[in-house]
Amino acid sequence: MLHQNNDIEKNTFVNKKENDLLKVILDVIQHVLILITFLMFFSFVQVAMAAAEDNQNALLLYSTGSNESRSAAMVRTDVDMRVSGMINHTLLTQVFKNSRDEWVEGIYQFTLPESVVVDTLRIQMGERVIYSEIKSNARALTQYQNAKKTGKRTALLEQHRANIFSSKIANIAPGEEVRIEISFQYLVKYEQGEFKLRFPMAMLPRYLLGVTVSEWADFDPSILNGLNENQLANTIRLRYPVTGSDKPVPVSLHIELDAGFPLVELDSRYHAIHKTNHGSGRYSIRFKSGIVLSKRDFELFWRPEPGQRPRTSVFHEKLGDEHYYFAMLYPPQPELSDQTLLNKEVVYVIDTSGSMAGVSIRQARDAMLTALDDLDPEDFFNIITFNTQTHSLFKQSRPASVLNVARARQFIALTNARGGTEMLPALKKALAYNESDARLRQIIYLTDGAVVNEQEVFELLRKNIQQNRLFTIGIGPSPNSYFLHNAARIGRGTYTYISNINEVSMRLGKFLKKINRPVLQNIKIEHLSGKAEVVPQNIPDLYAYEPVVFSMKANEPVGVVNIVGYRADEQWSRRLQLTDSNNGFGVAKYWARQKIKAYLDASTDMNKTKKLEKSITAIALKHKIMSPYTSLVVVDKSLTGNPSKRIYSHPIPARLTSMQNMQVKTGQVIPLLAKTATDTQLKFIVGLVSLLLAVLVRIFLRRRYQNREWL
Amino acid sequence: MRFLSDKILKWIVFILAVLAVYFLATAFYIPVKAIIAQNLLHSAWQSTLAGDTSVKPWPWADTWPVARLRVPTLNIDQIVLDGDQGSSLAFGPGQRVHSVNDKSSGLTMISAHRDTHFKFLQYVKLGHRIELQNEFGDVNTYQIEDMQIIDSEVMGIRAPEQGQWLTLVTCYPFNVLDSNGPLRYVVFAEQIKPCASESCQS
């Protein structure tokens, strides 16, 4: 019995000894594993943190084969501008760095100034520079996708709205710096005798969905409807960088300004600048500090000398045999100032349906009250509100006398928003009477909702618009922009979109104030010598402090044109000498852009789209500018440059899966057959996981023994 | 795990440990083999240069060194083997030579594993020089003209119309577990000075 006991004791002792050895080994492995896990976790956290930091700027990178996106840091932005008169030609250079250790595709969305004409995209990756070509949208996309698939460097620039662009860049090497150069032009603004050049410094990407962009009124809205599912999905992805893009990017600036006349004042509103005067209105401008870190838009303004204020400014560009002109004529003072306004009649048509309830109607009321105060006592006015029913302030428009304005105020104060939207009767009423023929009739139509019977309304407008001007204002998240835009076109007015209902009062007030001051209507350009094509054909009415702006294409130099317009019931005209015009950069492109706009404006008829697309594509391709139907695609020049170097990748002909013959002919395709990866990494990971599991089960087992010993 | 007896658990530990040892050993074996083989190949290359042909680096080898590949900027010096079948690629980059239109131009295609010999391809840049020494001792210098990612199931490389070309091929992407993907990373380099031997002067 004792002996037996002894034996058992001995056995356990031996077992114990074995266990100790195993325990030591396992402990060591355990520590190593913990260390490895810890290191792996730590490096993961580091990578994640780096990724989070990278998201600050707007170039999104998609690594090939995955949807996971990280961004490349924008290193800097260079802005190079050449201003001739009112045309500003800009070369924007943005430098990004792909900080990942992977090849990636960059998708980048950005905002440019309004009514911009983009003509060139240039991309520099590593030591290679590639230039853009203008192609029709479909061709450009195919070319981009093919190039991307075969691993070529390629980029595509697409226009989504009048001022929203997206560019994609495929196959960016790890650690590579990418320079994106975009050249474009736009018009400098002229207000109250002052020229203003604005440039968005933050280049904040704006959303496509929800149409938060307000000033796209001069663009075809059909591209808005034309987004397919893919584009919409992309759009949602494009929204992503917005959240992180609050870090200012270093910007350097260089402007060569040729104002066309001597200046009395030239300065920047928000940034310190250094300017060099080259005489007769020519200046070089830079940031005083060289480079600026700023989120604030850059705004440069200048004023012509008041004494010899030039009435006109003409620029000329010769392209082949064609002569292009860009002309502006300032409202001659005091001949056409706000002291000599046209007599007018304003009819406000306001949507008071249920959806306008709350902030919208309150803001609309505020704006209306300001507008009423601004009316000239001799102006006529009326207010029509509509929901399920139509109400009007007066049966007929009445003068804006103190008494009538007071009644209007009362009417507005009592306006409440409820019920449905029946817009047709209201518009009919606004268009119906025509008692004051000498007056300029302005109909201002404000709504936030959908329109059901679009075609019926278009028909009504076409028949009855005559000399009326229709201005449409859409507010909130979902007005029918397509309808409002086209209605304004037919009505020779403008469409204003205000997305943020909290801005309605401010923006609507500003707009109403502007259209309260018409000075000249029915403006025409009569060219006395030679044949010429003027755009826009219908020059918009002129309001106080606005210049007449037009451009012209002719087959031979044009000597003189006559600008004719009407003030009240008298004719007004002015001769404009074109012979001593300055040489202007980008004048032809400006003309092309206006011509495209004219085409878009002329087509409310959807059946004509094929023909329209053809005409627009032809102009856009000729002048190498972007349009709703053309994109810029960047192709690797070295591939097309030297045919002898074309040994690159090529689709394999069907059934060619092996390659026996080592003698080949030019152009024959050689397949890549070698298997060039091993499963080392996979094996390593499987091995590590097995080891980890073994240790875990072993630890569990030991715990179980220990518990039993306690019992 | 209460229902599992100690005995079964002990067996599980044992099996897992064996698996771990097996996988880790093979995982280490591949790169180690690749490194050791290169050392053996360098001595076989010396005797090839001395005049022997088809020198087998070890008695049971079914391939032999045909070229020496150098990328000076990245300190790469590798012996290239004949053929790009799997049995060659375990030991070094494998070469296939295509002559186009009766040798008026040529395409030398060298393939290797992305996780061993051609791991460095992800670091090469446009303009880098690649030196390739042939069996006769002539050194030809190539300059990198382009890098492309190609889907090998649908795309191949077109035989060049002019010039002597070298392509370096490996799997893409570089750091993934999947070893059977169709994507290949191809570096295109064109010869920048004519080689000395008569065979390639045209």
Side-chain angles (χ1 to χ4, degrees), chain A residues 152-321:
Chain A
K152 279 179 200 155
R153 282 144 213 255
T154 177
L156 178 70
L157 185 65
E158 290 171 301
Q159 185 165 12
H160 297 286
R161 294 273 186 284
N163 61 341
I164 295 186
F165 296 81
S166 75
S167 67
K168 300 175 182 168
I169 309 134
N171 302 316
I172 312 175
E176 205 169 40
E177 235 183 38
V178 186
R179 284 166 61 96
I180 302 172
E181 289 183 14
I182 301 157
S183 81
F184 53 86
Q185 63 182 51
Y186 61 102
L187 279 194
V188 169
K189 280 224 166 84
Y190 179 77
E191 269 173 22
Q192 316 269 324
E194 181 181 280
F195 291 87
K196 264 187 222 163
L197 184 159
R198 274 187 90 90
F199 186 78
M201 293 278 276
M203 299 292 286
L204 274 184
R206 292 204 215 173
Y207 306 155
L208 287 185
L209 288 182
V211 204
T212 55
V213 183
S214 43
E215 283 79 26
W216 60 279
D218 61 339
F219 215 70
D220 180 33
S222 66
I223 57 162
L224 200 161
N225 307 332
L227 287 183
N228 61 30
E229 289 299 308
N230 253 341
Q231 285 169 313
L232 282 176
N234 273 338
T235 307
I236 294 163
R237 280 208 305 218
L238 291 178
R239 295 173 65 137
Y240 181 60
V242 175
T243 49
S245 56
D246 54 351
K247 206 161 88 181
V249 171
V251 177
S252 80
L253 175 91
H254 174 222
I255 301 176
E256 286 296 329
L257 170 68
D258 181 0
F261 38 75
L263 304 181
V264 279
E265 200 183 359
L266 167 68
D267 211 344
S268 150
R269 197 89 64 195
Y270 311 111
H271 305 86
I273 54 166
H274 177 84
K275 53 193 182 211
T276 320
N277 191 347
H278 302 299
S280 61
R282 287 209 298 273
Y283 292 86
S284 296
I285 297 136
R286 285 173 195 283
F287 283 137
K288 204 155 219 163
S289 52
I291 282 171
V292 154
L293 274 166
S294 174
K295 278 162 70 179
R296 195 144 205 186
D297 285 2
F298 174 73
E299 191 175 301
L300 188 75
F301 63 94
W302 60 93
R303 281 174 193 278
E305 278 178 23
Q308 42 170 324
R309 185 198 184 104
R311 296 235 160 97
T312 57
S313 171
V314 184
F315 291 87
H316 167 248
E317 188 179 26
K318 193 165 176 276
L319 201 78
D321 289 340

Side-chain angles (χ1 to χ4, degrees), chain B residues 126 153 169 173:
Chain B
L126 287 180
E153 280 172 6
V169 183

Side-chain angles (χ1 to χ4, degrees), chain B residues 5 11 36 38 45-46 50 62-63 65 78 82-83 90 102 106 108 114 121 124 127 143 145 148 155 163 190 199 201:
Chain B
S5 72
W11 271 106
I36 292 174
Q38 276 295 318
W45 181 245
Q46 290 311 317
D62 49 8
T63 181
Q78 291 172 355
D82 184 55
D102 300 318
T108 304
R114 65 158 180 231
L121 277 198
V124 301
Q143 182 166 334
E145 293 288 329
Q148 293 185 12
M155 308 290 282
E190 191 182 16
S199 64
Q201 276 177 353

Side-chain angles (χ1 to χ4, degrees), chain A residues 64 101-103 125 127-128 148-153 171 174 636 638-639 643-652 659 661-688 690-691 693-694 697-698 700-701 704-705 708, chain B residues 1-2 4-6 9-10 13 16-17 19-20 23-24 26-28 30-31 84 89 96-102 107 109 111-115 126 145-150 152-162 165 169-172 175-177 179-180 184-186 188 190:
Chain A
T64 329
D101 56 356
E102 271 184 277
W103 286 70
M125 289 194 279
E127 281 125 73
R128 174 154 304 170
K148 180 184 157 191
K149 215 161 85 186
T150 51
K152 279 179 200 155
R153 282 144 213 255
N171 302 316
D636 207 326
S638 72
L639 289 184
S644 69
K645 292 199 169 181
R646 283 193 210 142
I647 72 152
Y648 300 93
S649 51
H650 199 272
I652 305 172
M659 190 76 203
N661 195 353
M662 293 292 155
Q663 294 284 324
V664 293
K665 290 203 176 71
T666 299
Q668 196 171 330
V669 179
I670 302 158
L672 301 167
L673 297 172
K675 189 177 175 300
T676 48
T678 63
D679 43 11
T680 309
Q681 284 179 354
L682 189 67
K683 279 180 171 162
F684 183 68
I685 284 170
V686 172
L688 269 190
S690 313
L691 192 64
L693 281 175
V697 177
R698 175 68 216 170
F700 174 78
L701 216 59
R704 214 188 238 186
Y705 278 132
R708 276 185 207 146
Chain B
M1 278 212 270
R2 217 163 270 280
L4 290 173
S5 72
D6 291 359
L9 283 180
K10 272 183 186 167
V13 172
L16 282 173
L19 281 176
F23 278 113
L24 288 178
T26 48
F28 282 116
I30 297 167
D84 55 9
L89 296 193
R96 267 199 298 165
V97 178
H98 301 276
S99 60
V100 185
N101 293 352
D102 300 318
L107 176 65
M109 193 189 283
S111 311
H113 288 154
R114 65 158 180 231
D115 33 19
L126 287 180
E145 293 288 329
D146 203 4
M147 285 97 88
Q148 293 185 12
I149 297 149
I150 293 175
S152 65
E153 280 172 6
V154 288
M155 308 290 282
I157 293 172
R158 245 161 57 111
E161 288 164 33
Q162 268 179 46
W165 285 82
V169 183
T170 195
C171 276
Y172 183 86
N175 293 304
V176 291
L177 292 182
S179 58
N180 288 314
R184 295 290 180 275
Y185 188 72
V186 184
F188 294 88
E190 191 182 16

Side-chain angles (χ1 to χ4, degrees), chain B residues 11-68:
Chain B
W11 271 106
I12 290 175
V13 172
F14 178 72
I15 292 166
L16 282 173
V18 170
L19 281 176
V21 169
Y22 170 75
F23 278 113
L24 288 178
T26 48
F28 282 116
Y29 175 61
I30 297 167
V32 166
K33 186 168 69 171
I35 293 163
I36 292 174
Q38 276 295 318
N39 285 324
L40 291 173
L41 283 167
H42 271 282
S43 59
W45 181 245
Q46 290 311 317
S47 43
T48 306
L49 286 183
D52 298 340
T53 48
S54 307
V55 183
K56 295 196 171 183
W58 45 91
W60 59 92
D62 49 8
T63 181
W64 53 89
V66 288
R68 181 180 180 182

Side-chain angles (χ1 to χ4, degrees), chain A residues 34-84:
Chain A
I34 287 167
L35 195 69
I36 288 175
T37 319
F38 190 74
L39 281 175
M40 277 166 84
F41 177 74
F42 192 68
S43 61
F44 172 76
V45 168
Q46 262 189 331
V47 168
M49 275 166 65
E53 234 166 67
D54 279 355
N55 268 336
Q56 301 285 356
N57 287 303
L59 185 71
L60 264 187
L61 298 176
Y62 292 92
S63 68
T64 329
S66 81
N67 284 330
E68 178 202 11
S69 65
R70 284 182 204 162
S71 63
M74 194 195 273
V75 184
R76 64 168 198 280
T77 299
D78 301 326
V79 183
D80 205 340
M81 292 176 170
R82 282 175 69 183
V83 186
S84 20

